[in-house]
Amino acid sequence: MKWIVPSLYVAFSLPLYLLSALTAQVQAQSYHRNKTWQISQAFKPPQRGKPPASAGGSTRGSSCLTGKKLIIPLIPPDKLGLTFAQHPTFFWYAPPSQVKTAKFLLLAEDQNVFYETSFTLPNKPGIFSFKLPDSAPGLTIGKTYHWYLTIVCDAEDSSENPTVDGWVERTQPGSRLSEALTKANLYKLPTIYAEAGIWHEALTSLVQLRRTQPNNFKARLDWRQFFKSVGLSAIASV
């Protein structure tokens, strides 16, 4: 597996067999102090209010994307990803395209622009990511933000530019969860975050594990099970 690691994103392609697994039941459950941590088999979404139903959609396939395929945002089923980070990382699947530029927009709760930027896409299709840079304003605890990713197919006519969106909210861990995170190694982090319903760090830590242990069979099984549990097995068609 090859990894492209520019300054703000990583990209990789996944073969079909890595993302086909038995169906996992997604059940919300609380964090337990005496839990014997193992790599998560499923993401456990927290019980909380949902963002507007319009979030997380994708525009129709654009002619600038090969086969008019869609961008797929890697977000949980309720379209709202929780994070502990001031500057979280966002992930998407992008199909083959000749387009080299994407735009990222983050809106505050009052719909004012919180952050926006453009960046260069990788040369091949696959999953890629964008980390909100440390130079950007940090997310405020308890605030929800609406983000958009746009592939710039036509700088003059935005109707041809495929866009996906979602929501992110920054929260903070309780003392027991903080203690578990402090003691955890790279293998345990994905489970702890997934059990707590912290989407952005769960996915980011899984990516770290896949990058540092590309031949670890257990890590690959857990990777595909994580995506199956949130209905994202469609990216197996890469």
Side-chain angles (χ1 to χ4, degrees), residues 119-198:
F119 57 91
T120 302
L121 294 170
N123 293 324
K124 62 173 67 175
I127 294 173
F128 69 99
S129 68
F130 171 79
K131 181 184 181 301
L132 194 65
D134 293 340
S135 59
L139 303 189
T140 300
I141 292 173
K143 298 292 185 180
T144 302
Y145 302 81
H146 195 179
W147 58 259
Y148 298 83
L149 176 84
T150 300
I151 305 298
V152 184
C153 299
D154 189 333
E156 302 298 328
D157 182 5
S158 61
S159 65
E160 282 298 309
N161 296 338
T163 300
V164 292
D165 69 319
W167 298 77
V168 58
E169 178 183 329
R170 186 183 171 202
T171 185
Q172 57 185 342
S175 58
R176 290 186 294 174
L177 181 52
S178 294
E179 181 181 357
L181 291 170
T182 300
K183 296 178 179 179
N185 57 28
L186 181 61
Y187 295 96
K188 293 183 178 180
L189 282 176
T191 290
I192 296 176
Y193 284 124
E195 291 280 348
I198 307 303

Side-chain angles (χ1 to χ4, degrees), residues 189-210:
L189 282 176
T191 290
I192 296 176
Y193 284 124
E195 291 280 348
I198 307 303
W199 175 262
H200 287 268
E201 280 79 351
L203 183 50
T204 300
S205 58
L206 278 171
V207 168
Q208 278 188 293
L209 188 58
R210 289 298 310 279

Side-chain angles (χ1 to χ4, degrees), residues 18 21 67 90 93 138 146 176 212 227:
L18 290 183
F90 302 82
Y93 164 75
H146 195 179
R176 290 186 294 174
T212 57
F227 282 111

Side-chain angles (χ1 to χ4, degrees), residues 8 11 44 60 97 121 180 204 215 218 228 236:
L8 292 179
K44 311 293 174 63
R60 67 187 186 283
S97 172
L121 294 170
T204 300
N215 298 318
K218 179 64 165 61
K228 283 282 287 186

